[in-house]
Amino acid sequence: MKAPILYGTAMAALAILATSCGRAGQATDFVSENAVYAAEQYRGHLQIIDSVGHFINPRTVNPDGSTWYVPVDDWCSGFFPGCLWYIGELNNDESWKERAASYTETLDTAQYLTWHHDVGFIIGSSYLNGYRLGGHDEYASAVVNAARSLSTRFRPGAGVIQSWNVDSGWQSERGWACPVIIDNMMNLEVMFEASRLTNDSTYYNIAVAHANTTKDNHFRSNNSCYHVVDYDPQTGEVRKRQTAQGYADESSWARGQAWALYGYTMCYRYTGDKAYLDHAVKVCDMIFSDPSMPEDLVPYWDYNAPNIPSEPRDASAAACTASALYEMSTYLPEGGYKEKADKILESLASPAYRAEIGTNGHFLLMHSVGSIPHGHEIDVPINYADYYFLEALLRKRKLDEGAVKLF
Ligand code: GLY
């Protein structure tokens, strides 16, 4: 890890403040108003980080009101830099992108991370965004290295990338041999990108194998998905279908359904394989036909949670779903997917979910859930909810401006 550096000077903070205030007066449309709001709210994070004098990486708010700052190898470490990239892009403001680049580069060791599968989340939200939005061509190597790291977890006998190790931590108590969680679909983006960048199909082939095996084994007949499927890594036999973060093995954990929807939509982007798009549509239909789905389209943390409607919502699942639906709407413009995404964003941007400036630990959205079975991050802000909210806003703006493609 790089030595801590003092990021952001008083001048940079003032420049960001001035830009944010200047734009506030001009904000006339929904996306712009949210973009200005996000800059103003996240400036609170930057001021705290600047006062500490070295990079600290905010993930959520602890029960005592303090902020939980995470290390480089935490699965959420890429989302804060990712939010800075998106705020810069939404406000067309280079000063935010400079901050984003500084923070992205504090994660440089993460590209070599092989002890869990989340290297895709970490490098995808930080370096890949810097490559796409910041003109940092040199970040391509981090994306390729991340794919190489993730490839070390591929188990050819089972045709999957193993999500978690099973020799330590709480995972060691579950009797798993090769657990794969639905979240892993999100990590495939760096695999596809790495093949595109290098012309080496190895990463692409692993991603396709993983997506196909997951499609075969993770889904129920109603197209909802399990959280965890455990495989025999040699034979590929399914050993168990369970949950870790959902209410029950047979329940539908809300964020898991969102990861599935986003993951298969993204797989279609890179492969053009209609089977993936068809699958994403089935997942989407399942999500929106579930009787527990509230009017505002922000789901409860698990579709089968026992005390609905007195259960926490999960804004992160809604934000991820909205972002995925904008992409889906470019492949299937007549499906009403954009309208659904618009409705989700309207809900999330309302006072019911969007925090007042200076509150909520300087995060944007309230009311997300990390893991109720583990007793942590219950009805709190979480950085990935903000990240997918901002990503969805960017996608909405492009589509509202007449784009027919996002990628
Ligand atoms: N990838 C972990 C989670 O969604 O909570």
Side-chain angles (χ1 to χ4, degrees):
M1 189 175 156
K2 284 184 174 172
I5 301 168
L6 180 61
Y7 292 104
T9 60
M11 289 297 267
L14 281 174
I16 286 170
L17 173 62
T19 311
S20 301
C21 290
R23 284 170 192 277
Q26 301 157 12
T28 50
D29 68 277
F30 176 84
V31 173
S32 297
E33 193 276 330
N34 277 285
V36 170
Y37 157 81
E40 205 170 341
Q41 180 72 331
Y42 262 52
R43 204 164 38 74
H45 280 305
L46 295 183
Q47 282 171 343
I48 292 168
I49 293 167
D50 288 345
S51 72
V52 169
H54 61 87
F55 180 57
I56 45 177
N57 194 330
R59 165 170 166 161
T60 185
V61 175
N62 293 314
D64 66 3
S66 61
T67 301
W68 179 11
Y69 295 100
V70 292
V72 171
D73 58 357
D74 185 272
W75 83 274
C76 295
S77 67
F79 294 120
F80 181 73
C83 288
L84 301 186
W85 285 117
Y86 286 158
I87 290 171
E89 183 72 5
L90 279 162
N91 288 294
N92 193 22
D93 188 330
E94 283 305 312
S95 64
W96 282 92
K97 292 190 181 181
E98 283 164 23
R99 301 294 297 250
S102 299
Y103 291 161
T104 290
E105 290 163 24
T106 67
L107 303 180
D108 62 349
T109 55
Q111 62 196 284
Y112 307 109
L113 188 161
T114 57
W115 68 270
H116 60 64
H117 69 152
D118 291 316
V119 60
F121 273 112
I122 298 170
I123 299 298
S125 50
S126 56
Y127 280 91
L128 183 53
N129 276 319
Y131 175 81
R132 284 176 175 155
L133 304 176
H136 286 270
D137 291 350
E138 75 279 14
Y139 288 179
S141 61
V143 176
V144 175
N145 285 331
R148 199 170 290 135
S149 299
L150 193 53
S151 302
T152 66
R153 305 185 65 80
F154 183 59
R155 309 291 175 249
V160 290
I161 297 166
Q162 181 170 340
S163 295
W164 292 325
N165 289 354
V166 291
D167 50 4
S168 64
W170 63 268
Q171 288 96 337
S172 64
E173 292 156 23
R174 298 292 298 260
W176 292 325
C178 174
V180 174
I181 61 174
I182 190 64
D183 322 31
N184 208 340
M185 289 300 302
M186 302 294 284
N187 292 315
L188 302 185
E189 187 164 3
V190 296
M191 301 293 277
F192 287 121
E193 275 296 330
S195 277
R196 195 184 64 76
L197 289 164
T198 60
N199 286 323
D200 177 349
S201 59
T202 310
Y203 312 110
Y204 180 104
N205 292 338
I206 289 174
V208 165
H210 182 93
N212 289 343
T213 309
T214 299
K215 189 157 73 62
D216 288 346
N217 293 321
H218 248 86
F219 292 85
R220 307 184 181 97
S221 56
N222 72 349
N223 301 310
S224 68
C225 67
Y226 291 90
H227 183 198
V228 186
V229 175
D230 184 42
Y231 293 91
D232 179 317
Q234 268 78 46
T235 66
E237 181 200 344
V238 172
R239 299 175 74 241
K240 293 174 186 172
R241 290 184 173 91
Q242 294 184 311
T243 198
Q245 287 165 251
Y247 166 62
D249 290 345
E250 289 301 328
S251 74
S252 300
W253 174 52
R255 195 161 54 257
Q257 315 309 304
W259 293 146
L261 172 65
Y262 190 117
Y264 282 99
T265 307
M266 177 265 294
C267 286
Y268 177 71
R269 179 202 316 162
Y270 286 100
T271 63
D273 185 341
K274 183 103 174 2
Y276 294 145
L277 184 60
D278 290 346
H279 193 65
V281 168
K282 286 182 197 167
V283 174
C284 178
D285 290 346
M286 182 282 302
I287 288 175
F288 290 101
S289 63
D290 191 280
S292 77
M293 179 60 84
E295 188 68 19
D296 66 3
L297 303 186
V298 179
Y300 296 94
W301 70 281
D302 190 300
Y303 293 111
N304 308 105
N307 299 312
I308 290 171
S310 303
E311 293 277 358
R313 305 290 190 93
D314 184 11
S316 77
C320 178
T321 298
S323 187
L325 289 176
Y326 283 126
E327 179 170 4
M328 185 182 273
S329 77
T330 65
Y331 307 133
L332 298 166
E334 307 303 325
Y337 302 112
K338 181 173 186 301
E339 290 71 18
K340 277 198 171 58
D342 284 346
K343 184 164 179 198
I344 294 171
L345 281 197
E346 261 172 47
S347 298
L348 293 178
S350 77
Y353 297 96
R354 200 183 87 170
E356 302 230 344
I357 296 289
T359 68
N360 204 37
H362 305 291
F363 293 96
L364 308 181
L365 298 183
M366 303 177 282
H367 305 311
S368 289
V369 166
S371 180
I372 285 185
H374 295 93
H376 71 82
E377 298 178 304
I378 301 170
D379 197 13
V380 291
I382 311 186
N383 62 8
Y384 48 87
D386 290 1
Y387 176 82
Y388 289 105
F389 176 62
L390 293 167
E391 183 179 274
L393 285 167
L394 264 175
R395 291 179 175 192
K396 173 175 169 53
R397 173 179 280 162
K398 281 192 195 160
L399 297 178
D400 286 349
E401 287 174 352
V404 290
K405 281 166 59 170
L406 290 169
F407 295 93

